[in-house]
Amino acid sequence: MLDKIVTHADIASFAADRVNLKTADVAEYRQQVARLRDRLTGYISDHPGFDLVKMLHSGSVKKGTALKTLNDMDVAVYVKAGKAPQEESKLLDWTAERLREAYKGILNDDQIHPEHHCVAVEFRGSGLNVDVVPVLYEDDPDDRGYLIPPSTGIRVLTSIPLHLKFIRTRKDNHPTHFRQMVRLVKWWARIQKSSRDGFRFKSFMTELLLAKLMDDGFKADDYAQALFDFFSYIVRTRLSERIVFSDYYASSEAKDDGNPIQIFDPVNPENNVASRYRDSDRDIILEAAEDALDAIAFARRATTKGEAVEAWQEIFGLSFKGS
């Protein structure tokens, strides 16, 4: 059939070969984080008054949605809120000093340095960095703590375990397809960022949009159709539908904040993860989604495999070969 020239199997094969982080690499990277965490745990145990409390693995490797192009991993380090600076830039400098103390003799001081929103820990052997984000901790349950985003400087409630549980629930409800669709959309967003001026589409938004769609019955067992439906949703709604989850709080707790895109953190009803997206940002996303729909529609009408593949390359880039 003409609309099956590029099939689900073609996209799944491309994902396995080009998009997804390999299982062996996932295991290696998780071990790297585990060694980092175990060293800190040991230091804290030996120094009960130390200002850092614990380290938790977060981010795409832990969630199972990492891309093959990964060049860093995310972890959260919980710090004693009463002892840590409350200003974001000072907090990063302070955290870097505490980490240098904990890893003295293991890592050189210049392998640990503050960056814009985190403290980077460089591993020169693997070439993979670990981005350490400080979380102000006040002994709240579920490892709830507070981030200080550089954009506002205002404390934002978070919980690494609850975020991971939220994603794990969707993975359990939709084995394979939830995380694969997240990776495919993240890959599309990566292509757009490199080719479309001003395009922004953060990974957390991708996860939450697909979580909401799949919670509401979205079918993802055919990736070609599922991507068409995903882009159709963006264009049809113009991302004007409020996305709220009731896993950890009542939906009514998430109040309209007046922003053009409202996608609420499932852990914190006061945190619209798209609060910094303006109408102009939404317009660029809509334009990209419309172009993706046009590409898929053309691919369905194509009379040769080559034409169909070329159309799908608008979404996946030139590395997509259709088999």
Side-chain angles (χ1 to χ4, degrees), residues 20-313:
N20 303 346
L21 186 64
K22 300 300 183 186
T23 302
D25 291 332
V26 170
E28 178 185 345
Y29 296 160
R30 285 180 175 174
Q31 288 173 6
Q32 182 170 305
V33 170
R35 290 192 293 269
L36 194 70
R37 184 186 61 232
D38 290 348
R39 168 64 183 178
L40 181 60
T41 300
Y43 190 87
I44 292 170
S45 178
D46 293 340
H47 302 79
F50 193 52
D51 296 335
L52 305 186
V53 180
K54 69 181 78 175
M55 178 179 285
L56 298 179
H57 192 182
S58 58
S60 61
V61 174
K62 183 65 175 178
K63 293 174 181 176
T65 60
L67 301 181
K68 193 173 184 178
T69 53
L70 179 82
N71 54 22
D72 55 52
M73 292 183 294
D74 298 324
V75 302
V77 62
Y78 282 65
V79 308
K80 294 178 181 177
K83 295 188 176 182
Q86 302 296 301
E87 184 180 329
E88 198 260 354
S89 61
K90 293 180 180 178
L91 176 61
L92 293 178
D93 289 337
W94 180 89
T95 302
E97 285 301 320
R98 303 289 86 71
L99 290 172
R100 291 183 187 121
E101 181 181 346
Y103 296 113
K104 191 172 184 64
I106 306 295
L107 298 171
N108 296 330
D109 284 355
D110 63 356
Q111 289 179 260
I112 302 172
H113 51 85
E115 294 198 341
H116 177 59
H117 67 288
C118 66
V119 177
V121 179
E122 298 180 6
F123 287 86
R124 290 169 181 161
S126 66
L128 192 73
N129 293 344
V130 174
D131 288 346
V132 180
V133 177
V135 176
L136 299 175
Y137 186 53
E138 299 172 346
D139 293 317
D140 290 336
D142 297 315
D143 286 330
R144 294 176 186 266
Y146 295 89
L147 302 170
I148 303 182
S151 56
T152 65
I154 300 173
R155 302 200 327 172
V156 175
L157 178 69
T158 190
S159 167
I160 303 303
L162 293 183
H163 276 146
L164 294 175
K165 183 180 178 182
F166 173 87
I167 294 296
R168 186 166 58 250
T169 297
R170 275 69 194 175
K171 288 164 57 178
D172 290 345
N173 290 341
H174 307 279
T176 304
H177 298 319
F178 172 75
R179 58 182 174 176
Q180 188 59 77
M181 279 297 297
V182 168
R183 288 182 293 215
L184 288 169
V185 173
K186 285 170 62 174
W187 188 269
W188 164 76
R190 173 178 170 272
I191 296 297
Q192 299 308 305
K193 289 173 185 175
S194 66
S195 62
R196 193 178 297 265
D197 288 343
F199 182 88
R200 295 197 298 151
F201 203 78
K202 63 172 67 174
S203 295
F204 197 22
M205 279 175 52
T206 297
E207 295 167 357
L208 297 183
L209 280 169
L210 284 165
K212 181 61 174 176
L213 289 172
M214 291 191 177
D215 285 355
D216 292 345
F218 182 87
K219 301 296 183 184
D221 54 350
D222 181 326
Y223 296 148
Q225 183 62 47
L227 286 165
F228 183 86
D229 292 342
F230 176 79
F231 296 128
S232 295
Y233 170 82
I234 291 177
V235 172
R236 175 175 55 81
T237 64
R238 298 184 58 81
L239 291 176
S240 61
E241 291 187 350
R242 296 175 73 245
I243 305 296
V244 183
F245 300 91
S246 57
D247 295 52
Y248 307 119
Y249 56 81
S251 298
S252 59
E253 293 183 53
K255 307 300 183 183
D256 189 332
D257 63 4
N259 285 299
I261 305 176
Q262 298 186 37
I263 303 174
F264 287 89
D265 185 331
V267 170
N268 179 2
E270 297 181 359
N271 181 27
N272 172 12
V273 303
S275 63
R276 297 186 65 200
Y277 285 64
R278 306 275 70 87
D279 285 321
S280 58
D281 298 310
R282 178 170 62 178
D283 289 343
I284 295 171
I285 295 169
L286 293 176
E287 180 184 79
E290 288 170 350
D291 289 348
L293 282 178
D294 288 344
I296 297 173
F298 180 86
R300 287 177 166 178
R301 298 192 303 269
T303 58
T304 68
K305 183 86 169 187
E307 288 179 345
V309 167
E310 187 174 346
W312 275 98
Q313 287 176 341

